[in-house]
């Protein structure tokens, strides 16, 4: 029997998954240029990662911003994030069991 190896749950892995999710969701037309996805930090549940304000198809590791639950960047010199980041922060505050949020403007939704 082949046993699947588990991937460690680190911030680096969550950021890598966030980048892939942004690309896949854009490719599948779930996200348009205004949609975005975020992921809660693996090490600090009071923080989350989100791409800077940009098209999801172009997101890279350099574009990821760490935010607190009040949606303030941890790094004061971080690039501007989407104005709708407050949706993400409020969901993470209200639902500690949620580890990712997607805000979509998809016509199908």
């Amino acid at each position: 029997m082949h046993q699947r190896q588990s991937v460690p749950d680190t911030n680096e892995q969550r950021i890598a998954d966030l980048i892939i999710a942004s690309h896949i969701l854009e490719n599948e037309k779930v996200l348009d240029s205004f949609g975005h996805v975020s992921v809660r930090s693996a090490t600090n549940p009071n923080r989350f990662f989100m791409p800077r304000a940009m098209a999801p198809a172009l997101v890279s590791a350099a574009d990821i911003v760490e935010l607190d639950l009040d949606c303030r960047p941890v790094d004061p010199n971080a690039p501007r994030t989407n104005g709708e980041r407050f949706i993400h922060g409020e969901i993470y505050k209200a639902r500690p069991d949620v580890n990712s949020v997607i805000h979509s403007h998809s016509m199908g939704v």
Side-chain angles (χ1 to χ4, degrees), residues 6 14-15 24 36 40 43 46 51 57 60 62 73-75 84 87 92 102 106:
S6 71
R14 286 189 180 199
I15 290 169
I24 290 171
H36 41 275
R40 191 184 298 267
T43 58
N46 295 315
S60 72
V74 172
D75 176 355
E84 294 169 328
I87 295 168
Y92 290 127
I102 299 171
S106 170

Side-chain angles (χ1 to χ4, degrees), residues 11 30 52 56 71 74 84 90 104:
N11 283 335
V30 173
R52 67 182 178 89
C71 301
V74 172
E84 294 169 328
E90 291 302 315
S104 173

Side-chain angles (χ1 to χ4, degrees), residues 36 38 48 50 84-92 101 103:
H36 41 275
S38 66
F48 66 99
M50 184 175 190
E84 294 169 328
R85 68 189 175 275
F86 297 101
I87 295 168
H88 298 253
E90 291 302 315
I91 292 171
Y92 290 127
V101 176
H103 179 139

Side-chain angles (χ1 to χ4, degrees), residues 6-25:
S6 71
V7 177
D9 188 16
T10 63
N11 283 335
E12 292 76 17
Q13 185 58 52
R14 286 189 180 199
I15 290 169
D17 290 346
L18 175 60
I19 295 163
I20 292 168
S22 294
H23 296 173
I24 290 171
L25 292 167

